Amino acid sequence: MAELFVVVNAGSSSIKFALHEIRAPFKARRRGLIEGIGTAPHLRLRDAKGETVMERRWPAEGFDHARAIAETMALGPELLNGATLLGAGHRVVHGGLDFAGPVRVTPAILDRLALLSPLAPLHQPHNLAPIRAIADLAPDLPQIACFDTGFHRSQAAVTQEFALPRRMTEAGIRRYGFHGLSYEYVATQLAALDPALAHGRVIVAHLGNGASLCAMRAGRSVASTMGFTAADGLMMGTRCGALDPGVLIHLMDTEGIDARALESLIYKESGLLGVSGISSDMRTLRASPDPHAAEAVALFVHRIIREIGSLAAALGGLDGLIFTAGIGENDVATRAEVSAGCAWLGLTLDGARNAAGGPRISADGARLSAWVVPTDEEGMIARHMAEVLG
Ligand code: ADP
């Protein structure tokens, strides 16, 4: 009988899950998405080809994350299609300083992870809710937590610090970095594509709705653009990225806005959406004739080029640039524009290879090679589960 892992990625109003094979290449057999938690809960399950194989709707009343898990587990036999479930793996945004790698969740570890919620209030409580719900309903099912911050714990102390009074650093106000599961996955893929480059100095550009860069040496994180929160660094779909902190103080003084309004401003109303006034979606902006759409895209690209320069300095030079996630994997123009801004680092793109989507998109003989490597955060979690559970 087939054996599967379930990988869970829970956000504020949605829960994504995927049923993965337990051996390499850890293929996803089925993917589920529960959307509209709090408004109009709806489950859609797709098979490996992307065909919808099941749909369910529930009344919004009382339908929270725990209920979503309970309802999904009640569908268990139908979802599993005869397979046995061997474990649940969870994407958890914050592992703090203690959790550098995946961990099997116990009640004590769950309590420690809950203590990190103030560091990621928009994500951590939602990530932990399904772990609790599964522990209540199936206490014997092994559960593994994998962290977005974990991959960056290899960074030097100086890279992880802000220039704030020491007591604040000691209280945990420091640069953690995120998108770690994506970077780790890309690093494993690169090791197969170009082993020599995988041992060199590489910048990975994870460009999706959330966007960040990671500088790696020999596959380990040396620096990244995201910091204390996932709001720092690059411009994103709806997040502004790095912002002079004086702007926030000015807005509090002149517009009298509070922390919640600032949070909404920097996480939800800025970035591609805020600058264009049209959309947070790169496809929409690329197709729009509105000059504000072009301006938003130009700023997005400019910020990436600037930060690549910063990370190349942190690495003391650069051997490879890798594009991944929705925009990085699909937007030929963004790759071309960012690469043009990296000509000074020795990057020459091969237009035909770029249009074809890689994997290698730099011209033969270019000093800096460029690549497209599709990411798979859920697959990385499945891989970790196999390691942790032996
Ligand atoms: P998330 O961070 O939510 O996982 P994704 O990695 O799915 O986001 O990336 C979403 C972004 O990728 C959107 O801006 C979307 O427009 C962009 N994208 C997806 N497909 C394409 C495409 N074919 N061409 C250009 N952009 C694309």
Side-chain angles (χ1 to χ4, degrees):
M1 193 192 288
E3 295 170 319
L4 299 173
F5 291 140
V6 62
V7 171
V8 182
N9 184 353
S12 58
S13 66
S14 71
I15 299 179
K16 282 193 231 168
F17 62 91
L19 292 165
H20 282 261
E21 292 174 3
I22 64 164
R23 287 181 189 85
F26 302 98
K27 268 192 355 219
R29 292 256 187 107
R30 296 192 156 191
R31 291 183 190 277
L33 174 63
I34 303 172
E35 285 182 296
I37 297 173
T39 52
H42 170 229
L43 162 71
R44 185 189 293 272
L45 187 74
R46 295 176 195 274
D47 64 14
K49 293 191 201 111
E51 306 282 341
T52 300
V53 292
M54 184 198 285
E55 277 197 85
R56 287 284 187 287
R57 289 179 193 281
W58 297 275
E61 183 78 7
F63 196 98
D64 56 8
H65 285 65
R67 202 30 219 298
I69 292 293
E71 294 285 356
T72 308
M73 287 177 73
L75 293 170
E78 245 180 292
L79 292 178
L80 288 167
N81 205 11
T84 310
L85 194 60
L86 290 194
H90 299 265
R91 180 174 180 185
V92 176
V93 69
H94 227 299
L97 293 179
D98 292 344
F99 297 102
V103 61
R104 183 157 174 176
V105 183
T106 61
I109 284 184
L110 198 49
D111 289 344
R112 279 168 69 193
L113 295 178
L115 291 175
L116 297 170
S117 287
L119 295 179
L122 302 180
H123 296 100
Q124 192 86 343
H126 303 301
N127 300 157
L128 301 185
I131 305 183
R132 269 189 223 291
I134 293 173
D136 287 344
L137 293 165
D140 295 332
L141 188 73
Q143 296 202 76
I144 311 295
C146 299
F147 304 99
D148 275 321
T149 52
F151 187 65
H152 302 294
R153 296 286 64 75
S154 54
Q155 293 177 5
V158 71
T159 306
Q160 300 189 47
E161 281 180 24
F162 289 119
L164 286 169
R166 180 164 295 276
R167 67 182 170 83
M168 295 188 176
T169 309
E170 284 163 1
I173 301 179
R174 46 172 71 229
R175 302 180 62 90
Y176 292 97
F178 298 88
H179 286 143
L181 292 161
S182 174
Y183 292 129
E184 192 178 2
Y185 181 79
V186 170
T188 62
Q189 295 303 103
L190 186 61
L193 282 171
D194 186 339
L197 180 60
H199 278 94
R201 300 161 299 181
V202 170
I203 291 175
V204 181
H206 177 109
L207 309 176
N209 282 314
S212 70
L213 305 177
C214 179
M216 294 181 198
R217 187 181 289 116
R220 286 162 65 85
S221 173
V222 166
S224 67
T225 55
M226 279 180 171
F228 178 63
T229 67
D232 198 10
L234 301 181
M235 175 177 172
M236 309 180 210
T238 60
R239 290 171 245 172
C240 56
L243 183 69
D244 177 348
V247 172
L248 300 180
I249 298 165
H250 173 79
L251 291 174
M252 291 168 85
D253 282 343
T254 58
E255 300 197 10
I257 65 178
D258 64 8
R260 295 288 77 75
L262 287 177
E263 183 176 85
S264 172
L265 175 73
I266 66 170
Y267 279 97
K268 296 189 180 145
E269 300 162 38
S270 299
L272 291 171
L273 174 67
V275 177
S276 69
I278 297 169
S279 173
S280 64
D281 194 290
M282 183 57 87
R283 281 166 295 196
T284 308
L285 297 182
R286 287 284 182 195
S288 169
D290 190 317
H292 290 166
E295 199 180 307
V297 173
L299 182 51
F300 180 78
V301 168
H302 171 73
R303 291 287 305 124
I304 296 168
I305 293 169
R306 282 271 311 256
E307 294 294 330
I308 286 174
S310 165
L311 292 189
L315 286 167
L318 192 60
D319 305 308
L321 174 64
I322 299 173
F323 293 93
T324 194
I327 298 171
E329 291 167 27
N330 297 298
D331 197 42
V332 177
T334 294
R335 293 198 298 262
E337 290 158 13
V338 169
S339 298
C342 296
W344 66 282
L345 285 161
L347 177 55
T348 312
L349 218 55
D350 179 308
R353 285 181 187 159
N354 185 36
R360 204 167 84 113
I361 57 173
S362 49
D364 290 339
R367 184 155 44 85
L368 172 63
S369 67
W371 303 76
V372 179
V373 179
T375 193
D376 182 5
E377 289 153 302
E378 279 105 13
M380 193 67 231
I381 293 173
R383 196 172 290 232
H384 280 313
M385 291 175 75
E387 286 156 14
V388 173
L389 298 175

